Amino acid sequence: MKEKVLFTWSGGKDSAMALHELRKNAGYEIAALLTTITEDYDRVSMHGVRRELLEAQAASLGLPLEKVFISRQSSNEDYESECELSLNDIRQRGSLLWPSETFFWRS
């Protein structure tokens, strides 16, 4: 049985390459993409990719998109809190692995 993966997605080329490599591994199933959006700008927090483009990327990949919203004034503690709330919600829907660069974290 394949392990379901929640894949962190920035919308950039590194995310695309990592996703491509992970999809080649028969042991994993990408369950959804996860990204953080700064509400004030309506863009991905790390790279500034517009939400419309982000949603088009997820649709073209055929994957659901889980969005964590933060404000531009958010502290790191706010960011962590919002991520934890989203991850708790996602956990309720099933056990997922969460890859981050070269590591896998069990949620």
Side-chain angles (χ1 to χ4, degrees), residues 9-74:
W9 182 258
S10 69
K13 67 183 181 314
D14 292 335
S15 289
M17 291 301 297
L19 179 64
H20 174 72
E21 290 300 316
L22 194 58
R23 281 184 145 179
K24 291 193 300 187
N25 187 319
Y28 301 109
E29 172 190 343
I30 309 301
L33 303 176
L34 174 71
T35 195
T36 306
I37 296 174
T38 304
E39 288 178 298
D40 308 273
Y41 306 123
D42 204 30
R43 292 177 178 260
V44 174
S45 298
M46 298 303 163
H47 295 298
V49 175
R50 292 184 333 272
R51 182 165 46 148
E52 298 84 17
L53 177 56
L54 178 72
E55 290 169 346
Q57 289 174 331
S60 72
L61 291 165
L63 293 170
L65 180 62
E66 300 287 342
K67 297 173 251 186
V68 176
F69 291 96
I70 60 171
S71 77
R72 67 184 177 140
Q73 304 291 345
S74 291

Side-chain angles (χ1 to χ4, degrees), residues 79-96:
Y79 166 78
E80 289 175 357
S81 177
E82 290 301 318
C83 284
E84 186 65 29
L85 287 171
S86 292
L87 288 173
N88 285 337
D89 179 55
I90 293 165
R91 281 186 200 115
Q92 296 298 316
R93 295 182 250 151
S95 178
L96 299 174

